[in-house]
Every structure is written in C-alpha cells, then in structure tokens.
Amino acid sequence: GSFAWGPTGAAGPRNGWAITTFRTSARDMGAPAARRPGFDWRRPDHWLAFGFGAGLVPWAPGTVGTLVAIPLYLLLQGLPPGVYLLVLVGLFLIGLWACDKTARELGGGDPGAIVWDEILGYLVTMALAPPGWAWILLGLVLFRFFDILKPWPIGPLDRRVTGGLGILLDDLVAGAMAWCLLQAVALW
C-alpha cells in the first residue's frame, strides 16, 4: 500500500504525527484504498498546503514553513511592486483552494501542519522590503512575533473565521502588521 506522514488526530507517535497507510490490511489490497488523513505526495493541494513538506516537521512547523518562504521571497524580491502584488493575490487564491480542501480532509479547523498561510504571511511582510539579509531576518522575526502572539485583531479572526479563508486570513493580517513595523524601521 501507499504511505503518508500526517496528523493522527490524537496523541500518538511524535505528538500526534505518524506514518499512516492508505489500505487497512493486506486483505484489502484489491479493494479501493481507505483514506485516512495525512500527506499524499501525489496531490498538489497537499504539497502547497503542507508548504512543500515543511508542515510535516513535528516541531515548530509554522516557523519551518516561514523559513521555506525565504527562498521564494528571494525569487520574487526583484519584481516590480505591482507584479509582486499580483503574485501574492495568485498565491492567496491557490492557497485558499489548497488549504480549504486539505483542512476539510484533516477534519477541519486550522491544522498546524498546514503552513501555506505562514508562507503567504511572510511574503506579505516582505513586500517592498529593503534588500539584504538583515531585513529578511527582521521580517521573519516580526512576522513570527505577530503570528504566534496573535494580538488584536489577529486572535479574534483566528477564532471566528473558518475554512481556507480562516486559515489564511489571520496570517495575512499578521503579515500586514509585521509589514507596517518593518516599513517603519526602514524609514527610521
């Protein structure tokens, strides 16, 4: 059978993460696969929602997902501002589909393994950022600060808005708040 790495839905190996199979026993090998939640490497929505696999890390998947955003930012940083914004809109729309679909398969809510929201939030933070590694690291720290602490209005959005939009929206707002601080530091 096929294997997947993903949340077990309960306390289990590695804080609720385990390798799961798609077929329940050798007897079922001729039957259609019985799917259980987990990462399926054949599905593009899983690759995106799980941040190209970063969300599968059993410790600090949000931070690891944000780190995955850095090479993507390095590819995008030279784009004109309008094109960068269009790319963000496109990534948001793709992420809306991938995160919503994957979260429903995992039982709803905002699973920690879904980290596309961190990738998108960091890219929002870095819009129009000055060049250089100091700014890249400052953007990372500022975004993670707002994403983890969830000050108003991030916290209420995180609790009240559901589905793919809910997964993405709180991180977009965290990215916007981090962007404001990053721009203020750059102007200072």
Side-chain angles (χ1 to χ4, degrees):
S2 299
F3 296 94
W5 175 257
T8 61
R14 295 186 182 230
N15 285 336
W17 286 82
I19 295 176
T20 58
T21 61
F22 290 117
R23 290 190 166 80
T24 55
S25 70
R27 195 168 46 97
D28 296 327
M29 291 307 281
R35 292 203 177 259
R36 287 193 269 175
F39 177 75
D40 184 346
W41 63 272
R42 297 167 295 186
R43 301 210 10 224
D45 56 318
H46 282 202
W47 278 105
L48 293 172
F50 288 107
F52 311 107
L56 302 175
V57 174
W59 40 266
T63 300
V64 175
T66 306
L67 290 171
V68 166
I70 293 174
L72 186 54
Y73 168 69
L74 292 172
L75 290 172
L76 300 174
Q77 72 179 349
L79 294 175
V83 176
Y84 188 95
L85 180 62
L86 284 174
V87 170
L88 283 181
V89 169
L91 293 175
F92 170 78
L93 293 173
I94 291 168
L96 191 61
W97 162 76
C99 294
D100 187 65
K101 185 173 183 189
T102 303
R104 278 189 281 116
E105 292 168 2
L106 296 176
D110 186 353
I114 293 180
V115 297
W116 186 257
D117 49 337
E118 275 80 14
I119 293 170
L120 191 57
Y122 178 75
L123 293 175
V124 168
T125 300
M126 297 307 294
L128 301 172
W133 281 99
W135 296 103
I136 290 170
L137 294 175
L138 180 59
L140 177 95
V141 170
L142 290 173
F143 171 69
R144 292 305 296 151
F145 172 80
F146 285 109
D147 188 35
I148 291 168
L149 292 183
K150 300 193 183 310
W152 186 90
I154 301 168
L157 285 172
D158 187 43
R159 290 186 297 277
R160 293 185 183 132
V161 183
T162 60
L165 181 61
I167 291 170
L168 295 174
L169 191 57
D170 66 305
D171 289 85
L172 289 175
V173 175
M177 293 174 80
W179 179 86
C180 289
L181 231 60
L182 188 72
Q183 294 301 313
V185 171
L187 291 173
W188 185 52

